[in-house]
Amino acid sequence: MNPSTARLRRLALIGLALVAPLCPADEGRRLKVPLLPAYQQECAACHIAYPPGLLPAASWQRISQNLGKHYGSDASLDPATVAQLSQWLSANAATGKRSREAPPEDRITRSAWFVREHDEVPAAAWKRASIKRAAHCAACHGDAEQGDFNEHRIRIPK
């Protein structure tokens, strides 16, 4: 390899190293963060333990501080558990595009990225008994509980 080719190759690798953390693939890794046992125990008792990378830190803070009125349910926890969950959720919250603005009512299903990713799903599909609502991720994403929302493994039930 001649010196100019080697130099160009090194520059390209340096460029990739600088840009890679900004790419959507980095966001995908943030969805697969190992779940905090307290989060799994407390939150997954009622719904999927949504990966913290699905919402920005500000949304998780508001959700954590309003558990007495958690989307129509009382999900109150002791202050020490709330502090632990809140800190962990914020530390693992969305980065990049997903963190730019909080979705309406801090609902994952109302975020711009969620709406964009699901725009081809017909409205009638959300009403199927096998799906029920947009927040029921595991209905179509079989590995949602592991933070895997890969579009190539989606199975939309009838």
Side-chain angles (χ1 to χ4, degrees), residues 73-84:
S73 298
D74 183 352
S76 298
L77 298 169
D78 64 273
T81 301
V82 171
Q84 178 189 27

Side-chain angles (χ1 to χ4, degrees), residues 119-134:
D119 64 350
E120 74 279 1
V121 178
W126 300 118
K127 297 174 183 169
R128 293 178 188 161
S130 55
I131 298 175
K132 296 181 186 132
R133 62 194 183 286

Side-chain angles (χ1 to χ4, degrees), residues 55-65 89-90 93-94 99 101-102 106:
L55 286 173
S59 291
W60 287 120
Q61 290 299 310
R62 283 188 294 275
I63 290 168
S64 297
Q65 294 174 1
L89 287 164
S90 293
S99 67
E101 67 180 63
D106 296 315

Side-chain angles (χ1 to χ4, degrees), residues 62-145:
R62 283 188 294 275
I63 290 168
S64 297
Q65 294 174 1
N66 198 25
L67 291 174
K69 296 178 182 173
H70 185 66
Y71 303 106
S73 298
D74 183 352
S76 298
L77 298 169
D78 64 273
T81 301
V82 171
Q84 178 189 27
L85 296 178
S86 183
Q87 188 273 335
W88 178 79
L89 287 164
S90 293
N92 293 287
T95 58
K97 291 178 185 177
R98 289 188 184 163
S99 67
R100 290 195 184 123
E101 67 180 63
E105 301 170 2
D106 296 315
R107 290 183 180 271
I108 294 166
T109 57
R110 299 205 42 216
S111 65
W113 66 264
F114 183 95
V115 171
R116 186 176 52 253
E117 289 293 322
H118 296 85
D119 64 350
E120 74 279 1
V121 178
W126 300 118
K127 297 174 183 169
R128 293 178 188 161
S130 55
I131 298 175
K132 296 181 186 132
R133 62 194 183 286
H136 188 207
C137 305
C140 302
H141 298 276
D143 295 323
E145 304 234 1

